[in-house]
């Protein structure tokens, strides 16, 4: 009997494959002492576990080197060094000979090291503590015979099942083998969902119970459009979904005919369609889907899933690659937006009680000027290779924008003094993600070159609903008049000052929101690459003047349901 689980459709498409459970096993154990005669066997057991762990880590390192590059593989190199270090291994074997079991001896030596390292006020030592913790976990799992899941070593087609995936877990998934994923936690705008869309992997999040309902190896169907997961699917269900997959393929072929078209409404109004990316590798998807530019480059992904920060040269190469591949099409790079659900291990940031309201994005960048300058210098140097625009995330006050812009100008003047080529005409804008910026848009419009509305955060802050928490995901209400009024305020304020307004949150690619966005007069929309052609086809069928009437009525509505009913009424008339 199959079972249907309902979740939140996070990335479109259908995947059918067997489940790979990314749930960590319980590594608790009860200590049993070993008497003298058995300790030689226990030492041998430890050596076997150590050997298996080394083989496994070497495999992970080689795989990471091939797929995500040497800088991401370095962390596993450090793990191998710990496993070969006589100062770590010797004391463990000593304790086993003294009568402890292998797992207990490992845990005791690990804890001694962690205590010593964590007491030191030294970044390098803190990193070593993290390595010891990580690799000891893997070794302990081998000693207990309960292997840890390892997404990097997957080498057959699977659907990942997990409680949650961090953005860096998602970044390590290999698209050749990972055909979809399903999680218990998360919402449509959590970053693992966003990554799934840029990788074009079907995904369903927020099911609450997938790890309890699906076992490793079960055949699973993921319908990322409907948000359905079918566990233990039978032949008939598999057949039905295979037919649906064929239908989606045919739809896609028809849409591809629009790849080189402009995006114009029926009454001739042009809307610029961009795509969102996280790494230079995503540019291919942008071009394949006929986007007219990159409306959001989430640069923080360059900093994640590695144990060292990217250097200025490394960042310069990444930005240059993107700009060159995009030819002269606009590329809007957002400066580092760390914090919230995006952790950067190399920065060792303190845990906060309210990370989404805390020290993130521009707040953190302005508080870490050297880190920020490194990025700005890399961007400025890359600016000569294409059509670069820069925007700052999470701006709450004009002072924050002015401080960031002043730092950008300072970096530019420094580079010029050193005779480095830099463009003088780089547009600088802000993301509107905090209600204070939306409300004060008229003042911001006097100082910025453009706005890009980040609805993922703007919705979470307007409705005070954590975007990661599936229990409050009903408050993710992009069609709510409260949000539409904020957007309307931004667009009007910007146009009064002859500035343009884009949108790069997930709402920008939402077909139900599209008639409203056209009526509101947004100039540019940036979305996951896979949504671009559908958006173009939809906009070609809309008339801006009609949508303006729709918006007038929507802004005067009391709630989201009234607005969706209006959208339906207006679009059915087409
Ligand atoms: C947003 O908040 O809408 C946005 C585009 O930024 P991010 O999703 O990366 O927070
Ligand atoms: Mg945001």
């Amino acid at each position: 009997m199959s079972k249907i689980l309902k979740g939140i459709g996070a990335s479109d498409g259908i995947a059918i494959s067997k489940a790979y459970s990314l749930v960590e096993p319980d590594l608790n154990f009860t200590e049993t002492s070993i008497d003298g005669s058995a300790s030689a066997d226990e030492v041998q057991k430890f050596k076997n576990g150590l050997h298996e762990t080394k083989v496994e880590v070497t495999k992970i390192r080689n795989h990471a080197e091939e797929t995500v590059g040497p800088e991401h593989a370095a962390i596993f190199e450090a793990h191998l060094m710990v496993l070969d270090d006589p100062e770590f291994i010797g004391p463990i074997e000593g304790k086993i000979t003294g009568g402890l079991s292998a797992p207990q001896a490992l845990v005791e030596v690990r804890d001694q090291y962690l205590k010593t390292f964590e007491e030191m006020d030294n970044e390098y030592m803190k990193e070593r503590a993290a390595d010891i913790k990580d690799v000891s976990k893997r070794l302990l799992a081998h000693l207990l015979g309960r292997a840890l899941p390892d997404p990097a070593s997957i080498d057959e087609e699977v659907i990942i099942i997990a409680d949650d995936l961090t953005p860096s877990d998602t970044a390590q998934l290999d698209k050749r083998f990972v055909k979809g994923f399903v999680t218990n936690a998360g919402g449509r705008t959590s970053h693992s969902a966003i990554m799934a869309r840029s990788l074009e992997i079907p995904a369903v999040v927020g099911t609450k119970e997938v790890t309890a309902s699906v076992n490793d190896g079960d055949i699973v169907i993921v319908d990322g459009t409907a948000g359905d997961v079918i566990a233990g699917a039978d032949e008939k269900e598999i057949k039905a979904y295979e037919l649906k997959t064929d239908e989606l393929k045919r739809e896609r072929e028809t849409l591809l005919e629009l790849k080189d078209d402009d995006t114009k409404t029926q009454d001739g109004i042009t809307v610029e369609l961009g795509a969102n990316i996280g790494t230079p590798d995503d540019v291919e998807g942008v071009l394949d889907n006929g986007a007219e530019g990159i409306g959001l480059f989430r640069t923080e992904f360059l900093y994640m899933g590695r144990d060292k920060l990217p250097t200025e040269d490394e960042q310069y190469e990444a930005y240059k690659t993107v700009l060159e591949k995009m030819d002269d099409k606009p590329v809007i790079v957002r400066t580092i937006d760390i914090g919230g659900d995006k952790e950067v291990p190399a920065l060792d940031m303190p845990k906060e009680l309210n990370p989404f309201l805390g020290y993130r994005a521009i707040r953190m960048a302005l508080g870490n000027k050297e880190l920020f300058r490194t990025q700005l210098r890399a961007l400025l140097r890359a600016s000569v290779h294409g059509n670069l625009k820069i925007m700052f995330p999470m701006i709450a006050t004009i002072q924050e924008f002015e401080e960031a812009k002043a730092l950008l100008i300072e970096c530019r003047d420094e580079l010029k003094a050193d005779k480095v080529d830099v463009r003088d005409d780089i547009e600088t804008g802000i993301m509107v993600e905090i209600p204070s910026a939306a409300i004060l848009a008229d003042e911001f419009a006097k100082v910025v070159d453009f706005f890009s509305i980040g609805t993922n955060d703007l919705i979470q802050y307007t409705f005070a609903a954590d975007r990661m928490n599936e229990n409050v995901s009903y408050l993710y209400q992009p069609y709510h008049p409260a949000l539409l009024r904020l957007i309307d305020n931004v667009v009007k304020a910007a146009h009064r000052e002859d500035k343009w307004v884009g949108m790069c949150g997930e709402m920008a690619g939402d077909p139900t929101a599209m008639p409203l966005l056209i009526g509101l007069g947004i100039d540019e929309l940036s979305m996951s690459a896979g949504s671009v052609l559908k958006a173009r086809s939809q906009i070609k069928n809309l008339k801006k003047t009609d949508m303006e009437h729709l918006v007038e009525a929507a802004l005067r509505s009391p709630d989201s349901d009234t607005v969706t009913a209006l959208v339906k009424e207006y679009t059915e008339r087409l």
Side-chain angles (χ1 to χ4, degrees), residues 197-381:
R197 285 195 284 284
S198 67
L199 289 166
E200 299 183 60
I201 298 178
V204 175
V205 298
T207 60
K208 295 190 178 136
E209 53 163 340
V210 69
T211 55
S213 306
V214 175
N215 295 314
D216 219 47
D218 285 356
I219 295 293
V220 179
I221 300 175
V222 180
D223 182 342
T225 316
D228 291 340
V229 180
I230 295 139
D234 60 29
E235 279 300 314
K236 215 168 127 208
E237 285 162 321
I238 293 177
K239 192 93 213 121
Y241 274 93
E242 279 171 353
L243 288 175
K244 227 169 154 181
T245 310
D246 291 343
E247 203 179 299
L248 288 177
K249 260 196 205 137
R250 281 193 297 277
E251 263 174 38
R252 164 99 190 140
E253 273 155 26
T254 316
L255 282 173
L256 273 171
E257 289 166 16
L258 304 177
K259 195 173 147 198
D260 299 318
D261 288 7
D262 287 341
T263 314
K264 271 201 173 84
T265 61
Q266 268 186 7
D267 43 352
I269 304 295
T270 303
V271 181
E272 187 112 8
L273 285 191
N276 298 346
I277 64 164
T279 72
D281 291 343
D282 297 337
V283 177
E284 237 160 87
V286 174
L287 298 171
D288 289 350
N289 284 286
E292 294 151 52
I294 289 171
L296 168 63
F297 180 178
R298 288 185 165 93
T299 55
E300 54 280 0
F301 287 109
L302 301 175
Y303 295 70
M304 287 157 57
R306 50 188 289 168
D307 61 355
K308 288 211 174 51
L309 293 170
T311 60
E312 181 183 315
D313 282 345
E314 193 186 333
Q315 290 191 59
Y316 162 75
E317 289 299 332
Y319 304 141
K320 174 172 171 252
T321 305
V322 172
L323 286 161
E324 284 182 345
K325 281 193 190 164
M326 289 302 290
D327 215 353
D328 220 23
K329 297 191 177 87
V331 175
I332 306 179
V333 177
R334 171 179 73 188
T335 60
I336 189 166
D337 181 6
I338 284 166
D341 62 337
K342 288 175 284 196
E343 287 182 12
V344 169
L347 278 174
D348 191 30
M349 291 178 51
K351 283 255 176 280
E352 294 186 325
L353 221 48
N354 279 311
F356 276 110
L357 297 184
Y359 194 51
R360 62 172 289 208
I362 197 70
R363 306 164 182 194
M364 195 280 265
L366 292 174
N368 286 273
K369 293 264 167 43
E370 275 321 299
L371 174 92
F372 199 18
R373 289 169 65 90
T374 304
Q375 179 173 43
L376 295 176
R377 285 175 57 94
L379 280 168
L380 287 159
R381 282 171 55 199

Side-chain angles (χ1 to χ4, degrees), residues 397-398 401-402 430 436-448 451 489-490 493-494 496-497 499:
T397 67
I398 294 197
F401 170 72
E402 282 177 340
I430 62 162
S436 65
I439 293 165
L440 207 67
D442 53 343
E443 291 299 326
F444 275 103
K446 295 175 190 160
V447 292
V448 303
F451 293 101
N489 193 49
V490 178
R496 274 197 297 271
E497 293 288 335
K499 306 289 165 69

Side-chain angles (χ1 to χ4, degrees), residues 191 334 337 342 360 394 431 433 454 456-457 467:
H191 281 96
R334 171 179 73 188
D337 181 6
K342 288 175 284 196
R360 62 172 289 208
M394 294 282 299
M431 289 195 69
E433 315 185 78
N456 305 338
D457 279 315
R467 63 196 264 190

Side-chain angles (χ1 to χ4, degrees), residues 303-547:
Y303 295 70
M304 287 157 57
R306 50 188 289 168
D307 61 355
K308 288 211 174 51
L309 293 170
T311 60
E312 181 183 315
D313 282 345
E314 193 186 333
Q315 290 191 59
Y316 162 75
E317 289 299 332
Y319 304 141
K320 174 172 171 252
T321 305
V322 172
L323 286 161
E324 284 182 345
K325 281 193 190 164
M326 289 302 290
D327 215 353
D328 220 23
K329 297 191 177 87
V331 175
I332 306 179
V333 177
R334 171 179 73 188
T335 60
I336 189 166
D337 181 6
I338 284 166
D341 62 337
K342 288 175 284 196
E343 287 182 12
V344 169
L347 278 174
D348 191 30
M349 291 178 51
K351 283 255 176 280
E352 294 186 325
L353 221 48
N354 279 311
F356 276 110
L357 297 184
Y359 194 51
R360 62 172 289 208
I362 197 70
R363 306 164 182 194
M364 195 280 265
L366 292 174
N368 286 273
K369 293 264 167 43
E370 275 321 299
L371 174 92
F372 199 18
R373 289 169 65 90
T374 304
Q375 179 173 43
L376 295 176
R377 285 175 57 94
L379 280 168
L380 287 159
R381 282 171 55 199
S383 65
V384 292
H385 300 289
N387 183 359
L388 171 72
K389 301 177 201 294
I390 296 177
M391 69 180 169
F392 303 117
M394 294 282 299
I395 294 283
T397 67
I398 294 197
Q399 285 70 25
E400 284 172 334
F401 170 72
E402 282 177 340
E403 202 184 330
K405 175 104 191 244
L407 195 65
L408 180 71
I409 292 174
E410 198 181 298
C411 292
R412 186 193 64 193
D413 294 347
E414 248 170 44
L415 286 165
K416 282 181 148 183
D418 289 342
K419 305 267 175 294
V420 178
D421 262 356
V422 174
R423 268 176 89 141
D424 274 319
D425 56 351
I426 306 171
E427 285 186 31
T428 45
I430 62 162
M431 289 195 69
V432 180
E433 315 185 78
I434 300 182
S436 65
I439 293 165
L440 207 67
D442 53 343
E443 291 299 326
F444 275 103
K446 295 175 190 160
V447 292
V448 303
D449 295 320
F450 66 91
F451 293 101
S452 184
I453 304 176
T455 48
N456 305 338
D457 279 315
L458 187 59
I459 295 172
Q460 90 163 334
Y461 298 128
T462 302
F463 294 93
D466 183 344
R467 63 196 264 190
M468 297 288 289
N469 185 337
E470 63 281 5
N471 293 322
V472 294
S473 62
Y474 74 96
L475 283 168
Y476 175 76
Q477 297 201 12
Y479 327 120
H480 196 284
L483 183 82
L484 300 179
R485 286 189 194 190
L486 286 176
I487 299 174
D488 184 50
N489 193 49
V490 178
V491 176
K492 289 202 172 114
H495 288 174
R496 274 197 297 271
E497 293 288 335
D498 273 337
K499 306 289 165 69
W500 62 268
V501 183
M503 177 176 283
C504 60
E506 295 309 304
M507 182 179 180
D510 174 353
T512 307
M514 192 59 80
L516 295 162
L517 301 178
I518 299 300
L520 282 159
I522 308 251
D523 306 291
E524 179 248 18
L525 295 166
S526 190
M527 57 198 73
S528 56
S531 304
V532 169
L533 291 170
K534 263 189 241 159
R536 182 168 294 147
S537 148
Q538 190 185 4
I539 292 170
K540 279 172 178 275
N541 285 316
L542 297 175
K543 207 165 158 194
K544 173 136 190 268
T545 45
D546 287 349
M547 298 308 121

Side-chain angles (χ1 to χ4, degrees), residues 62-304:
N62 295 347
H63 187 269
E65 212 163 63
E66 261 172 47
T67 53
V68 283
E71 63 284 1
H72 291 270
I75 191 160
F76 303 111
E77 200 60 56
H79 289 186
L80 284 172
M81 275 163 67
V82 174
L83 295 174
D84 273 329
D85 187 347
E87 297 202 20
F88 183 63
I89 301 304
I92 301 175
E93 291 182 352
K95 279 183 186 279
I96 301 174
T97 315
L100 292 185
S101 70
Q104 184 65 25
L106 165 65
V107 166
E108 287 188 10
V109 173
R110 175 199 68 188
D111 290 349
Q112 268 167 11
Y113 269 97
L114 292 185
K115 191 162 174 289
T116 320
F117 284 178
E118 275 162 9
E119 278 164 5
M120 294 180 188
D121 191 21
N122 175 320
E123 276 317 304
Y124 178 78
M125 284 307 177
K126 281 192 181 144
E127 272 177 29
R128 298 291 70 78
D131 291 337
I132 289 192
K133 213 163 162 175
D134 261 22
V135 79
S136 299
K137 185 158 96 182
R138 191 167 292 284
L139 178 53
L140 181 60
H142 276 287
L143 296 177
L144 295 170
R146 304 172 203 158
L148 290 180
D150 169 27
S153 67
I154 295 172
D155 55 5
E156 55 178 347
E157 293 194 356
V158 293
I159 286 169
I160 301 269
I161 304 296
D163 180 43
D164 197 7
L165 287 173
T166 64
S168 66
D169 287 333
T170 323
Q172 286 177 46
L173 301 181
D174 186 336
K175 215 182 132 174
R176 285 173 304 166
F177 304 120
V178 176
K179 294 293 153 195
F181 73 74
V182 187
T183 61
N184 292 337
R188 207 185 134 72
T189 59
S190 53
H191 281 96
S192 46
I194 290 171
M195 291 285 283
R197 285 195 284 284
S198 67
L199 289 166
E200 299 183 60
I201 298 178
V204 175
V205 298
T207 60
K208 295 190 178 136
E209 53 163 340
V210 69
T211 55
S213 306
V214 175
N215 295 314
D216 219 47
D218 285 356
I219 295 293
V220 179
I221 300 175
V222 180
D223 182 342
T225 316
D228 291 340
V229 180
I230 295 139
D234 60 29
E235 279 300 314
K236 215 168 127 208
E237 285 162 321
I238 293 177
K239 192 93 213 121
Y241 274 93
E242 279 171 353
L243 288 175
K244 227 169 154 181
T245 310
D246 291 343
E247 203 179 299
L248 288 177
K249 260 196 205 137
R250 281 193 297 277
E251 263 174 38
R252 164 99 190 140
E253 273 155 26
T254 316
L255 282 173
L256 273 171
E257 289 166 16
L258 304 177
K259 195 173 147 198
D260 299 318
D261 288 7
D262 287 341
T263 314
K264 271 201 173 84
T265 61
Q266 268 186 7
D267 43 352
I269 304 295
T270 303
V271 181
E272 187 112 8
L273 285 191
N276 298 346
I277 64 164
T279 72
D281 291 343
D282 297 337
V283 177
E284 237 160 87
V286 174
L287 298 171
D288 289 350
N289 284 286
E292 294 151 52
I294 289 171
L296 168 63
F297 180 178
R298 288 185 165 93
T299 55
E300 54 280 0
F301 287 109
L302 301 175
Y303 295 70
M304 287 157 57

